[in-house]
Amino acid sequence: MTTTLLRRTIAGLLLALPFAIALPTLAQEQAIGMEDVLNDPEAPTVGPDDADVTIVAFLDYNCPFCKQSAPHLKELMETDPKVRVIFKDWPILTEASVYGAQIALAAKYQGAYTTAHDALMAIPGTRITKEEMLEAIRASGIDMTKLQSALDENGQAISDLIRRNLAQADALGLTGTPVYLIGPYLANGALDIAAFRETVAQARAETPAQ
């Protein structure tokens, strides 16, 4: 399946959900710039507002390379207090990927996005099913009643955020997960902690002194 066809399929899945609204055509969308990518108020974000390097991570919970990088990105966040990470749930691989993005974003409403994210990324293998994802969330200790309430009450906002992520990835010309925008640099594929730290250091060197 081509990337374009797959994204149309994902859009169709969003439309099929009871809380979805009509997906706008490209002609209806305004031009997307980096300000939209960096400043979406609904995007889950970890790190200080005064961070000197921002990482934007476009990820899919069925992507093996995303899973390979996940513990290294987590280590970076835990050991570098001047890094901020903006998570972009970009479910382009399977129908279950859309479901994973939805429940991870629903967990945000109880302050548990990173818990859900870590749980989903820790599931071994590929083509993970919806049932396996839901069980991983349940095992993580997330309040499932609150999770369902968030899906019921904020489903449209969650779907809208996923659509914006898809549109931003398209506007940037991204073709597959994972993608990390690290300061002025774009990195594709699985990164280990050394690669993250090296690219962050390069981004800091490119940042003008305040």
Side-chain angles (χ1 to χ4, degrees):
M1 183 180 293
T2 66
T3 301
T4 299
L5 180 56
L6 182 56
R7 289 180 185 174
R8 288 176 182 169
T9 301
I10 296 300
L13 290 169
L14 289 170
L15 285 170
L17 294 167
F19 49 71
I21 62 173
L23 187 67
T25 66
L26 289 177
Q28 293 172 310
E29 293 178 327
Q30 297 179 347
I32 296 171
M34 281 305 298
E35 284 299 311
D36 300 294
V37 176
L38 294 171
N39 295 304
D40 190 322
E42 298 298 321
T45 302
V46 178
D49 292 337
D50 64 347
D52 58 9
V53 173
T54 296
I55 298 174
V56 183
F58 286 85
L59 306 168
D60 183 303
Y61 293 116
N62 260 310
C63 167
F65 303 109
C66 299
K67 294 181 179 186
Q68 187 177 334
S69 288
H72 300 285
L73 181 58
K74 183 176 181 179
E75 181 179 353
L76 180 72
M77 291 188 293
E78 292 174 343
T79 57
D80 191 327
K82 297 297 286 183
V83 164
R84 180 175 66 132
V85 178
I86 302 171
F87 290 96
K88 299 287 184 177
D89 288 273
W90 186 31
I92 59 173
L93 295 178
T94 71
E95 178 180 348
S97 296
V98 179
Y99 181 71
Q102 290 168 327
I103 57 177
L105 292 169
K108 180 187 70 169
Y109 291 90
Q110 58 179 284
Y113 174 82
T114 55
T115 299
H117 174 86
D118 292 346
L120 293 171
M121 283 297 178
I123 303 173
T126 59
R127 303 196 69 80
I128 307 306
T129 66
K130 295 180 182 180
E131 292 74 21
E132 290 172 306
M133 290 184 180
L134 189 61
E135 181 54 38
I137 294 295
R138 183 178 291 111
S140 75
I142 286 173
D143 187 316
M144 301 305 289
T145 300
K146 289 183 178 179
L147 186 77
Q148 186 59 56
S149 294
L151 287 169
D152 293 339
E153 297 170 11
N154 303 287
Q156 180 172 311
I158 291 169
S159 287
D160 287 347
L161 177 56
I162 294 173
R163 288 191 187 91
R164 292 197 300 276
N165 293 346
L166 290 166
Q168 290 166 12
D170 281 339
L172 290 167
L174 307 185
T175 58
T177 54
V179 173
Y180 303 99
L181 309 180
I182 305 176
Y185 298 104
L186 185 152
N188 292 302
L191 300 184
D192 60 16
I193 186 61
F196 275 121
R197 286 177 174 158
E198 179 181 357
T199 311
V200 166
Q202 292 174 347
R204 285 191 172 119
E206 291 287 334
T207 303
Q210 299 297 318

